[in-house]
Each structure stands twice: as C-alpha cells, then as structure tokens.
Amino acid sequence: MAIYNQTLKELLPLSLSSTPAVSIRKENKMWIATCMLMHYLESFTDSLVVTGEDEKPVGVIGGREVIENIFKNPSSDFFDKTTVEQVTDKNLMIISEKVTLGELLEMWKQTRRAFSIIPNSLGGYSAISGRKLLEIGANCTTNITISELPKKEIITFDHNNTLKDIIRLMLQNNTRKLILKNSNMFISDRLIIQSIAQKFDFFRNVKFLDLKFSESINLEEAKKFPKTST
C-alpha cells in the first residue's frame, strides 16, 4: 500500500504522540508568545496551541501571525497591549490517529499551515507538524533523487532591502524563508522574531521596519546537498 493511503498510526507506530503540543493562554500578551516562538520555531514545533477555559484548544499561533501583524503595526503596542486571542488563527485541526497521510496533507493544503494536534494518552495533545512528517520520510527507502523533485522558485532579497521589504516578500510569497541573492545564506521568521525580542526590545525606541537587514539580523547558512542525493 502506498504511504499516502496509510494512517498516521501505521506510519508512526512508536512516535506519533511523542511531541507534546506547546500551549499558551489566550489572555497572554503577544510579547510572551513571541518569546516562546523564538525558542520553539524550527526546533521543537512550528506553532503554539492557544488554550481557553479548562485548557481547551481554541486556535493556533505561529511566526506567520507575528510577521503579518508587525507589518501592519510595527510598534511596541502590538506586543504590550495585544492579546494572543486577538491574533489567533481559530482554524486549528484536531485529528485522530486514523487519519491517512494523504488526508492530512490535503487538510494542510487548505489551511496553508503544516500543523495539527492529536489527543494523547495523558489527556493532553501532541503536535503533528511538518517536522514530525520528516520521520516518515526518513523511514522510507526510495531511489528518487533531489534533482527529480519539482522545481520551486527561490525567493531572494539583497543587501539593500529593509526589513519591511523582506517581510512583504515573505507575505506575498507565503514563505518563511528568503535566500540572500547569490549566496546560500537565508533569513527566516524565527531570525526576525529573535532579533525583535533580544536585540530591539519589542520595537521600543526603534523604527524596526526601516532598518536594513544588515543592520539588524544575523543570517544563517543553508546546507548544500548534491542533486544526486536520494
């Protein structure tokens, strides 16, 4: 049977619920959510689960919500006065272990967010994200090489771009990463959020979006792989 038609339980029998969902209360201010995302994005889980009364999940928030809203309101007020509930994406998918890989991917295409949660044996929820699905890929044997994958346009920026230019490119192209032109260095929503929290104290006394990226953010290096790699 093709893995597309297999259930998540069949594909991940031992680790399906091994990644706990990280949650944040809906009444918390955005500076708290931003600090949490700074640590969790791309390392543990892709988004935070927003909880309401009785700790029930009511939505989800990730780097996209932070980036979209600072583009509209690049001031410290967004972090100090806005609550998580005000920017929460209410379209949180709670799935079961019987969902097939194909069904899950179709759901993610509709929501444009590779994130869901699944009830676990402890009475809480575990996170199912794009990072979790990499475990499925790692367990599959295939002769398909990188060069055979569909080509995707690489969105780039240059040294003269401001942070406003960069965030606009991210939003227009629905991507979390941009590549510095003629290099393998990249900027991501996590790196932007990290600078906001650690270097610029949540926009206090600085016009963040007017800064050039070279004045504000350290880039990271993308690893290179041969086209012949499977």
Side-chain angles (χ1 to χ4, degrees):
M1 181 189 297
I3 63 170
Y4 197 76
N5 297 318
Q6 291 184 268
T7 67
L8 297 182
K9 182 63 175 178
E10 292 171 330
L11 293 169
L12 297 167
L14 301 178
S15 65
L16 179 59
S17 58
S18 63
T19 305
V22 181
S23 63
I24 185 169
R25 296 279 300 179
K26 66 180 183 179
E27 63 267 22
N28 285 152
K29 294 294 190 290
M30 278 304 301
W31 72 265
I32 298 176
T34 303
C35 288
M36 293 176 68
L37 286 169
M38 177 181 69
H39 294 293
Y40 291 121
L41 280 179
E42 299 180 8
S43 60
F44 188 66
T45 186
D46 298 303
S47 302
L48 304 175
V49 176
V50 180
T51 58
E53 304 301 326
D54 302 320
E55 302 304 318
K56 290 184 178 180
V58 295
V60 62
I61 187 172
R64 184 168 72 190
E65 281 68 38
V66 177
I67 295 298
E68 285 178 347
N69 282 279
I70 63 173
F71 190 77
K72 300 173 186 175
N73 180 21
S75 72
S76 58
D77 283 354
F78 168 68
F79 298 100
D80 295 335
K81 299 180 180 180
T82 304
T83 64
V84 169
E85 183 178 22
Q86 289 175 270
V87 299
T88 292
D89 180 358
K90 303 272 193 313
N91 195 20
L92 171 64
M93 290 184 296
I94 303 176
I95 60 174
S96 78
E97 61 183 25
K98 295 181 180 180
V99 168
T100 67
L101 176 61
E103 290 170 339
L104 179 64
L105 294 177
E106 286 299 320
M107 292 177 194
W108 285 357
K109 284 172 63 177
Q110 295 298 319
T111 62
R112 302 178 74 180
R113 186 192 297 272
F115 184 82
S116 303
I117 57 174
I118 186 170
N120 59 38
S121 59
L122 300 177
Y125 295 89
S126 297
I128 306 296
S129 65
R131 180 170 296 276
K132 171 63 69 175
L133 294 197
L134 292 179
E135 295 179 27
I136 296 175
N139 291 330
C140 292
T141 300
T142 176
N143 293 321
I144 297 175
T145 64
I146 292 176
S147 62
E148 295 177 75
L149 295 175
K151 300 296 186 294
K152 187 175 182 180
E153 182 184 3
I154 297 176
I155 310 302
T156 63
F157 68 102
D158 60 44
H159 288 90
N160 294 320
N161 285 141
T162 63
L163 268 299
K164 187 174 186 178
D165 297 329
I166 288 171
I167 293 175
R168 182 186 290 113
L169 281 170
M170 285 183 171
L171 297 176
Q172 288 176 345
N173 294 280
N174 192 36
T175 182
R176 293 173 56 190
K177 291 185 177 72
L178 300 177
I179 302 294
L180 178 62
K181 193 173 294 183
N182 300 320
S183 80
N184 65 322
M185 306 299 291
F186 70 88
I187 192 170
S188 67
D189 56 350
R190 177 180 58 81
L191 293 174
I192 293 174
I193 288 171
Q194 184 174 309
S195 288
I196 290 170
Q198 294 183 332
K199 192 173 181 179
F200 296 105
D201 193 24
F202 300 103
F203 294 164
R204 296 179 180 89
N205 302 316
V206 65
K207 292 184 178 180
F208 183 76
L209 294 189
D210 293 334
L211 296 173
K212 293 184 179 180
F213 93 88
S214 57
E215 301 172 312
S216 52
I217 294 178
N218 294 322
L219 303 183
E220 290 190 353
E221 185 175 4
K223 294 180 180 180
K224 294 182 178 179
F225 286 92
K227 292 182 179 181
T228 53
S229 297
T230 60

